[in-house]
Amino acid sequence: MQERYEPAAVEAEAQQFWNRERSFEAKEDPGRQKYYCLSMFPYPSGRLHMGHVRNYTIGDVLSRFMRMNGRNVLQPMGWDAFGLPAENAAMANGVPPAKWTFGNIATMKTQLKSLGFALDWSREITTCRPEYYRWNQWLFLRMLEKGVAYQKTGVVNWDPVDKTVLANEQVIDGRGWRTGALVEKREIPMYYLKITDYAEELLDALDGMQGWPERVRAMQANWIGKSVGVRLGFPYDIEGLGAGVLHAFTTRADTLMGVTFCAVAAEHALAAWAARNNAPLAAFIEECKRGPAIESELATQEKKGLPTGLSVRHPISGEELPVWVGNYVLMSYGDGAVMGVPAHDERDFEFAKKYHLPIKPVIDVAGREYSLHQWAPWYAEHGRCVNSGKYDGLEYQAAVDAIAADLSRLGLGEKRITWRLRDWGISRQRYWGCPIPVIHCGACGTVPVPDDELPVVLPVDLVPDGSGNPLLKDEAFLAVSCPRCGAKARRETDTMDTFVDSSWYFLRFACSDNGKAMLDSRVQYWAPVDQYIGGIEHAILHLLYSRFWTRFMRELGMVAFKEPFANLFTQGMVLNEVFFRKPDAGRVEYFNPADVEVTLDSTAQRRIAVLRSDGLEVESGGVVTMSKSKNNGVDPQALVDEFGADTARLFTMFAAPPEQTLEWSDEGVQGAYRFIKRLWKAVHEHVSQGLPRPLDGAALNDAQRAIRRQAHQTLAKITDDIGRRRTFNTAIAAAMELMNALAKHGQSSPQDRSVMQEALEITVLGLSPIIPHATHAMWRALGHERALIDEPWMQVDTEALQTSSINLVVQVNGKLRGHITVAAGADEAAVRGAALADPHVQKFIGAGQVRKVIIVPGKLVNVVV
RNA sequence: GCCCUCGUGGCGGAAUCGGUAGACGCAACGGACUUAAAAUCCGUUGAGAGCGAUCUCAUCCCGGUUCGAGUCCGGGCGAGGGCACCA
């Protein structure tokens, strides 16, 4: 063993060993319990970032730990390789997206390998390869057959200059990001997947998903958004239009008698009809339609409306109610119309105040006074009906029931459940994605591509120029004959949302080499995923789509389970300080923390940050998520090159619990490096004197026994912290404590050296999931033939944990007043006697009367005076 | 606005089921080694009082439950994240 710790050599050696032995290639083995550990696969954006390192280290620690605990572990890796950034890069550099993507994959694969992750590369998946995406197409055709995939029109952002569809993120302040042209809304036919058919099931199943964080389950439940209420009808008979009913959904049918107006969305049919010869209204409707596309922007805009001049009748009272167009009414939710109850809905209240519409309180909340001038939150609370005729005095549920029954009798309403969840639109008018396998024929219409003609292969050599989908100009791709009638036809040029690619990749890892079928029997062995690890940003879409997709596959008999991810772990983000200068004119300039030197001023009170290149001060903008825009990222590769992969891994696992945010700290990295060096040195010093004789537990003195006890306590803690609590930071802290104790203990006698050998083995093996390379080398040095990765996890020796006496804390009235030592088996009377006899305790009892003595076995004694 | 999470030293954090608050690390300070620096090693480090043994205070604030509260409950303040004109 080398005296100096040289990470580059140590890590190369370990990685070569794992490669040579194919240590991480997983084999199906029905005789062994499997453990499928999966980290969310990366988008090949260029280089790894610290978020990747954190994500994949968490997965790697769990994988290696479970493997040593006897599980048959599968930890695969792949590439979520379709997507918009490749097209952007293509436009910027004139390189086909495929070339850019594959170049990035090569770079990032090298980086992942340098970090020593225990990945089974033989199962690697790349979603932009036909071998993968042909199964997207195949399953899409099954969805078409079952009616789960269907066509309807949808609204897209249209750039009139580039004549292209823009993603929301390409629209900046209502203008195209490249052309600056005002973006138009266009309705075009698109494919949708009927996820709403699964809404109830996707929601109900959340309750049983104990392996998922509460937070993620809550987010999904909110997203699905089940509302139980009443769909009611406001009848009308409008000259020229005739008789009809305006439908609206409400969760507060008990407030029906407080309705003073109705409001409809700009896109509503009644609004369109009223606007025929009402120019101001038509203009307002246009304004609403041109308004913000993103709902969060909609939220901040002022509530506006215009009367349509039309009126409807109240379903119970028959009263005439004016119909308004409101910019706060969404066409996509419910029926695109709301009943306006200003007294009990804040938005309606604001609207009514602004346009001087009547406000009629009809709910009495615990006798509190209602003001027509200022909104109070409790106006929306449930209460007793008042001012509501025959419904007066009824509580919420009774009122809803009575009103729903009356409406039903009148044919003007029924109880109904409304969902927030909408169907999943998967059509993208973009090149770099999986082609949707349909053909447009002049005679036959839209015809699915027959299975035996799959895959529809995407050409890989096109370079998008920003003006429309390049597939539209690619005759070789476009020209096709109709599978039904044989006539000349045209291929669909829309591609699929990349969330389709990631909705089932976790199953394909079980059988990535199968060229004949999407899945095979090996899936039954590996799936579902035992532990899924990824960022909270995927809490809703990716995870919900995957749950939906899995359910559909189950209906086809392809898998036997409903939930694809038994346990979910969401790791926190990686933050770093941000440095900038803000010139009087011009844009803020951000500087990478690597180029900034931070020192303390002479009084050590103030931190001064200086840019190395010019020696001038820069401002600190606090600690925020690492991002390109803030230029505060740390390149993991630089870290690996300077300190090694083990240090990078150790720091990211030690600095914070894995689900919390992690603040970057260069000094913290030094600390991690220092610890590995210390451990290395301790092992080197120990083994350079030769290996000791086997440990004889009975021959130890008290000090040796104490060290041995701490070693086994540490093993127990590391095992529990990694295996159950997932608090890798405290596992590392325990190992550090043990090292500190060993350094103090010293070693001279043969027994000392035997105890030391065991303690070092525990430390090395216990930390091996986190720092696998250095521990691989140290394990060999400690005299083991077998590679550490192939060793079983060590078992705690309960014998070693035994003590003859224990220390107890004594409190008087809950305050710490003394310490006592009693025999391990001491009974309560003995403990009580010892506690009361302690001079410190006596002092605090003083003249008082001892009323009660509480004994918590093994922990403390509390004397109540 | 709603939902979720969280407020602990100079900093990151620990305290797992209500039982010794501040483990471990960083930074800082003092010392050893060195011609010197780096590296390494040893020590000190929540605040206040005291020569000292010790004592008092202290986990965002106010109240409560309890023998005992960082932890549980109620109310507030603050931060972060998610969702959002969702009727």
Side-chain angles (χ1 to χ4, degrees), chain A residues 808-812 817-822 826-845 850 852-855 860-864:
Chain A
L808 293 180
V809 161
V810 187
Q811 296 178 332
V812 177
R817 296 304 181 189
H819 300 263
I820 55 170
T821 303
V822 297
D827 60 12
E828 292 218 347
V831 170
R832 181 190 167 109
L836 292 175
D838 184 78
H840 281 288
V841 174
Q842 292 243 317
K843 195 173 109 191
F844 280 93
I845 294 171
V850 175
K852 202 163 152 193
V853 177
I854 293 153
I855 298 174
L860 60 67
V861 182
N862 188 14
V863 181
V864 185

Side-chain angles (χ1 to χ4, degrees), chain A residues 510-551:
Chain A
C511 56
S512 61
D513 58 358
N514 191 329
K516 298 239 159 40
M518 187 171 189
L519 303 179
D520 62 35
S521 61
R522 288 173 288 177
V523 175
Q524 304 311 326
Y525 178 72
W526 291 115
V529 174
D530 293 281
Q531 181 68 63
Y532 199 34
I533 304 140
I536 188 78
E537 67 273 20
H538 293 114
I540 295 174
L541 293 182
H542 162 57
L543 292 171
L544 192 62
Y545 291 154
S546 298
R547 296 180 60 217
F548 155 68
W549 199 275
T550 302
R551 279 170 167 74

Side-chain angles (χ1 to χ4, degrees), chain A residues 232-235 256 259 313-319 321 407 410 412:
Chain A
L232 31 84
F234 296 85
L256 182 61
V259 174
R313 286 193 306 280
H314 191 286
I316 304 271
S317 71
E319 196 184 341
L321 301 168
L407 289 173
L410 293 165
L412 288 174

Side-chain angles (χ1 to χ4, degrees), chain A residues 310-613:
Chain A
L310 309 176
S311 63
V312 294
R313 286 193 306 280
H314 191 286
I316 304 271
S317 71
E319 196 184 341
E320 292 275 313
L321 301 168
V323 177
W324 286 62
V325 177
N327 67 348
Y328 70 100
V329 184
L330 293 179
M331 194 61 215
S332 55
Y333 185 80
D335 295 285
V338 300
M339 63 176 208
V341 187
H344 303 289
D345 181 277
E346 188 171 4
R347 288 156 309 170
D348 295 346
F349 183 86
E350 247 183 78
F351 196 76
K353 285 270 286 184
K354 181 164 179 178
Y355 297 111
H356 309 290
L357 294 161
I359 299 172
K360 184 183 168 196
V362 291
I363 300 294
D364 175 53
V365 181
R368 284 192 277 187
E369 199 66 17
Y370 191 95
S371 156
L372 296 180
H373 304 289
Q374 184 66 44
W375 175 261
W378 57 267
Y379 296 166
E381 284 173 22
H382 290 177
R384 202 176 288 274
C385 289
V386 292
N387 209 5
S388 300
K390 64 186 270 206
Y391 309 112
D392 279 356
L394 293 179
E395 295 281 358
Y396 171 77
Q397 196 54 56
V400 170
D401 291 346
I403 288 172
D406 287 347
L407 289 173
S408 170
R409 217 168 295 127
L410 293 165
L412 288 174
E414 72 268 307
K415 287 195 177 174
R416 159 163 314 198
I417 292 169
T418 294
W419 303 89
R420 205 193 88 103
L421 185 69
R422 295 173 211 161
D423 278 341
W424 173 17
I426 59 155
S427 294
R428 297 290 180 271
Q429 296 69 43
R430 276 195 281 281
Y431 160 48
W432 192 236
C434 167
I436 293 177
V438 295
I439 288 166
H440 301 283
C441 168
C444 309
T446 302
V447 183
V449 173
D451 283 358
D452 58 13
E453 288 177 26
L454 294 182
V456 175
V457 177
L458 187 75
V460 291
D461 51 357
L462 306 184
V463 181
D465 59 7
S467 64
N469 186 342
L471 290 175
L472 288 165
K473 299 166 207 156
D474 190 56
E475 268 311 311
F477 178 78
L478 284 174
V480 66
S481 50
C482 172
R484 207 161 282 169
C485 70
K488 275 179 122 186
R490 195 180 61 81
R491 247 186 224 296
E492 172 65 57
T493 56
D494 279 3
T495 55
M496 294 184 197
D497 180 5
T498 57
F499 276 118
V500 172
D501 307 327
S502 56
S503 288
W504 68 280
Y505 78 103
F506 42 88
L507 298 174
R508 184 68 182 173
F509 279 125
C511 56
S512 61
D513 58 358
N514 191 329
K516 298 239 159 40
M518 187 171 189
L519 303 179
D520 62 35
S521 61
R522 288 173 288 177
V523 175
Q524 304 311 326
Y525 178 72
W526 291 115
V529 174
D530 293 281
Q531 181 68 63
Y532 199 34
I533 304 140
I536 188 78
E537 67 273 20
H538 293 114
I540 295 174
L541 293 182
H542 162 57
L543 292 171
L544 192 62
Y545 291 154
S546 298
R547 296 180 60 217
F548 155 68
W549 199 275
T550 302
R551 279 170 167 74
F552 181 75
M553 290 181 131
R554 184 170 173 273
E555 284 169 20
L556 294 184
M558 299 173 72
V559 296
F561 47 86
K562 288 184 177 178
E563 291 299 334
F565 311 116
N567 294 286
L568 174 69
F569 191 95
T570 50
Q571 100 257 9
M573 308 226 252
V574 184
L575 316 181
N576 198 6
E577 192 162 8
V578 54
F579 295 102
F580 67 93
R581 280 183 195 148
K582 193 171 183 183
D584 292 337
R587 292 174 56 179
V588 177
E589 193 182 354
Y590 292 98
F591 302 98
N592 194 281
D595 304 325
V596 173
E597 180 112 40
V598 179
T599 50
L600 290 176
D601 73 354
S602 51
T603 60
Q605 293 297 305
R606 202 174 78 89
R607 294 169 75 241
I608 300 175
V610 167
L611 187 66
R612 287 211 181 86
S613 58

